[in-house]
Amino acid sequence: GAGVSQSPSNKVTEKGKDVELRCDPISGHTALYWYRQRLGQGLEFLIYFQGNSAPDKSGLPSDRFSAERTGESVSTLTIQRTQQEDSAVYLCASSQREMSQETQYFGPGTRLLVL
Amino acid sequence: AQSVTQLGSHVSVSEGALVLLRCNYSSSVPPYLFWYVQYPNQGLQLLLKYTSAATLVKGINGFEAEFKKSETSFHLTKPSAHMSDAAEYFCAVRRNSGNTPLVFGKGTRLSVIA
């Protein structure tokens, strides 16, 4: 596709339920990033992938959060036993390579609301 | 560690007036610096980036930013605001080596008044 896509665009769930968020990066981009954007806050780094490996998981807020990437393409961010503080916009980005000066291209995000 | 401070969570300018959005960074090593724009219900879009070439960087939509090492600043400017510039703007910093995450500021919402 032309850009990064994410699904669903909106997700409302009940506290305690698990959710899966999907990211389709730009074709050929080897690096993929997940960020969280809480209301009125900047973007908070969660995790990044180089190929299918995740060298840096330092941003995951708790062990309820996990992510995987397959085929050096699609990535899934899973939040188990959701809490109200997980409510946020989850943004995915990809870049052609994992280098500091590379531009990251962002998807439109998934808005998660935990009731 | 790197950090970014954006002064002013909300800036309001008149159409045709100068736009100035402030960004100061903290980095123990030479940084790469980025400005992203986020329109309502859309993802972030890169406006411009500094990667240690020219200190004055020109971006899309008439925006530019100047890297000033002595002031640890990377302010975003546009000579004449347009209604379509109304959006959220984020400054971000990253180390110029190693695999470290992009660190974002909290953002500045720009309103343009007709």
Side-chain angles (χ1 to χ4, degrees):
Chain A
V4 178
S5 60
Q6 294 186 245
S7 62
S9 54
N10 292 280
K11 177 71 176 179
V12 180
T13 189
E14 294 179 349
K15 178 181 173 181
K17 295 287 181 76
D18 298 351
V19 295
E20 280 191 356
L21 312 179
R22 176 187 169 109
C23 172
D24 284 86
I26 293 172
S27 178
H29 279 194
T30 60
L32 185 148
Y33 310 82
W34 283 99
Y35 295 89
R36 178 168 71 176
Q37 185 178 25
R38 289 172 161 164
L39 189 64
Q41 301 293 314
L43 275 73
E44 175 188 6
F45 168 78
L46 297 178
I47 187 172
Y48 93 89
F49 290 88
Q50 178 59 37
N52 293 332
S53 301
D56 188 353
K57 303 180 181 180
S58 63
L60 294 178
S62 76
D63 59 6
R64 297 186 294 105
F65 287 72
S66 63
E68 66 174 12
R69 189 180 184 194
T70 56
E72 298 193 356
S73 180
V74 173
S75 177
T76 302
L77 177 68
T78 301
I79 309 174
Q80 295 178 308
R81 306 180 303 281
T82 52
Q83 303 294 312
Q84 289 182 332
E85 63 262 27
D86 298 335
S87 296
V89 177
Y90 289 82
L91 290 164
C92 175
S94 69
S95 64
Q96 194 163 21
R97 296 169 295 178
E98 209 320 280
M99 296 178 67
S100 295
Q101 71 268 38
E102 287 286 320
T103 298
Q104 295 184 18
Y105 296 87
F106 284 79
T110 294
R111 296 179 184 278
L112 175 66
L113 177 62
V114 181
L115 300 177
Chain B
Q2 295 78 47
S3 66
V4 170
T5 301
Q6 291 185 242
L7 295 176
S9 59
H10 185 208
V11 171
S12 184
V13 300
S14 298
E15 190 173 21
L18 171 72
V19 176
L20 170 61
L21 304 182
R22 299 179 186 274
C23 172
N24 287 88
Y25 69 90
S26 172
S27 179
S28 57
V29 297
Y32 291 142
L33 293 157
F34 305 78
W35 274 101
Y36 281 86
V37 61
Q38 186 177 33
Y39 298 103
N41 299 315
Q42 295 186 28
L44 277 70
Q45 178 183 5
L46 182 72
L47 276 177
L48 48 81
K49 62 181 178 181
Y50 166 76
T51 57
S52 72
T55 56
L56 182 62
V57 182
K58 295 186 182 299
I60 61 172
N61 301 339
F63 284 93
E64 63 181 38
E66 186 172 7
F67 172 69
K68 292 187 176 180
K69 184 178 179 181
S70 61
E71 299 177 7
T72 61
S73 69
F74 191 57
H75 302 329
L76 182 71
T77 61
K78 182 174 180 177
S80 177
H82 192 273
M83 296 297 289
S84 61
D85 295 326
E88 187 94 19
Y89 292 80
F90 293 94
C91 182
V93 64
R94 197 174 189 190
R95 289 172 61 126
N96 69 353
S97 62
N99 294 330
T100 59
L102 198 56
V103 176
F104 285 85
K106 292 188 175 182
T108 297
R109 180 167 299 280
L110 176 66
S111 297
V112 182
I113 304 168

